[in-house]
Amino acid sequence: MRFLVVGQWQGSASSRAMRLADGAAAVAADLPRSATTTIDVPAGAGDRLDTAVARYTSVLAVSGSVAEESAVATEPVLVIGGDGSAVLGASVLVGPDTAVVRLSGSSGYRALNRAQPVAAETAALRLLVDRPADLFPGLPVVPAGSVVIAGTRGTEGAEAAALDRAGIAHLDVDAATPDALADAVQRTGADQVFVHVDLDVLDPSEVDGLLEPVPFGLDGAALVALLQAATAGRRLVGAALTGFAPVDPDRAVDDLGVILRIVGALSTAARAS
């Protein structure tokens, strides 16, 4: 597997977003150096340029770099974020026969409105499947019918209704069983899969380093079971792991056990492809 370390923080809405760069670096320290590339992230916040995306220029620059590295990789790519919009550039790996599985505590489907710019990670899925043509030029648009979301908690009614209108399958945390996820992926008709794991899908008791912890999430074993269900019998073309924001290096070490278990499950799926 090829690892792209993307310490992007500009897509986050949190005032503590810089911790995401530290989280990416902490995970990178346990990855094989020969298989790891670090993507340069702008030092500044960036400008929205009258778009609906806050800090758009920085998020755009990073997505372009991720896309370039992903496009030339000869192995499945695992993006290590950074905030959840670090996944955008890896969309170049998503072909017509690829399901996109998002395992996250949030849908990432916030509406885009120029009058009220949103943080890119809150609309990361919307930017993949339903964005204005002038945003992120050069990146493919992912068909909504190829997307499955699982593990969400507290999705607002308007956001859930928008997912239904788009035809995006979504399973909240109580419904996100391996069988249910496998069935949803099967219904996409895809032979390949791209998986995005945002660590907020986990319960805060599993991972301390979360910017916005929400209770009643998955435990590590349940998440690994979902990864296995999503990838069984399909080629894993790529993946992303985002949202690690440790308070300090010592507490980061405490979280790395479960995080590296997720990395291991994705690497195993890549080898089996």
Side-chain angles (χ1 to χ4, degrees):
M1 198 161 208
R2 189 73 201 171
F3 302 97
L4 301 183
V5 178
V6 187
Q8 176 182 277
W9 54 272
Q10 291 93 335
S12 172
S14 175
S15 61
R16 298 163 293 174
M18 290 295 290
R19 283 166 42 185
L20 292 162
D22 296 334
V27 178
D30 279 298
L31 300 177
R33 291 188 180 182
S34 62
T36 301
T37 299
T38 298
I39 300 295
D40 289 334
V41 173
D47 195 311
R48 74 179 183 98
L49 297 184
D50 197 33
T51 70
V53 179
R55 303 168 178 164
Y56 172 67
T57 55
S58 289
V59 178
L60 176 66
V62 173
S63 69
S65 297
V66 173
E68 290 177 8
E69 291 290 342
S70 298
V72 299
T74 57
E75 303 167 281
V77 169
L78 174 55
V79 173
I80 302 290
D83 70 74
S85 66
V87 72
L88 293 173
S91 64
V92 297
L93 300 169
V94 178
D97 296 320
T98 307
V100 175
V101 177
R102 176 182 169 94
L103 302 176
S104 175
S106 60
S107 72
Y109 207 68
R110 286 281 299 276
L112 298 172
N113 183 339
R114 288 178 187 268
Q116 296 180 313
V118 299
E121 73 171 359
T122 67
L125 182 59
R126 177 84 73 162
L127 291 168
L128 285 176
V129 305
D130 182 26
R131 67 175 183 270
D134 60 336
L135 287 179
F136 301 97
L139 295 184
V141 174
V142 176
S146 298
V147 178
V148 179
I149 308 171
T152 52
R153 309 189 292 288
T155 303
E156 295 180 1
E159 210 161 316
L163 292 169
D164 289 335
R165 286 195 300 272
I168 295 175
H170 52 106
L171 304 168
D172 67 23
V173 68
D174 294 326
T177 66
D179 286 345
L181 180 58
D183 288 345
V185 176
Q186 180 67 32
R187 286 194 293 273
T188 69
D191 297 323
Q192 305 180 133
V193 64
F194 181 97
V195 179
H196 177 194
V197 178
D198 196 281
L199 288 174
D200 69 2
V201 75
L202 291 170
D203 190 83
S205 64
E206 292 286 296
V207 175
D208 174 68
L210 299 173
L211 290 177
E212 304 294 340
V214 178
F216 309 116
L218 300 173
D219 61 31
L223 177 55
V224 169
L226 290 178
L227 289 173
Q228 292 168 340
T231 57
R234 292 176 179 82
R235 177 172 175 257
L236 180 69
V237 298
L241 175 64
T242 62
F244 185 37
V247 174
D248 57 51
D250 290 339
R251 288 167 70 173
V253 171
D254 294 337
D255 286 336
L256 283 173
V258 68
I259 291 172
L260 294 176
R261 187 178 176 191
I262 297 165
V263 172
L266 291 168
S267 297
T268 297
R271 289 194 297 269
S273 298

